[in-house]
Amino acid sequence: MPQTVLGFYTNDAEVIAIGTRHLRIVGFSYIPAALATSYIATLRSIQYPRSRSLPQPPL
């Protein structure tokens, strides 16, 4: 799949090989990012946007 996507941008086999390795490594980071984004959206939808992991200033 990464070869096909990179093939839209270049015909250079070396660039495609390097880009494929990069996308396979970086692709794993999208899973935690998607989970974090979903979690934040859930908290906002229930009107609880503050993170309790960080100290909050007194009101």
Side-chain angles (χ1 to χ4, degrees):
M1 174 91 172
Q3 297 91 347
T4 305
V5 173
L6 292 170
F8 291 127
Y9 300 104
T10 184
N11 293 326
D12 188 352
E14 185 177 355
V15 171
I16 292 174
I18 293 169
T20 299
R21 282 183 286 177
H22 175 75
L23 287 176
R24 288 181 195 263
I25 294 169
V26 173
F28 289 110
S29 69
Y30 288 112
I31 296 169
L35 292 174
T37 302
S38 299
Y39 181 67
I40 290 168
T42 301
L43 289 178
R44 286 184 179 172
S45 71
I46 61 172
Q47 298 180 358
Y48 191 73
R50 292 186 185 169
S51 172
R52 295 293 181 201
S53 63
L54 299 174
Q56 298 294 321
L59 296 175

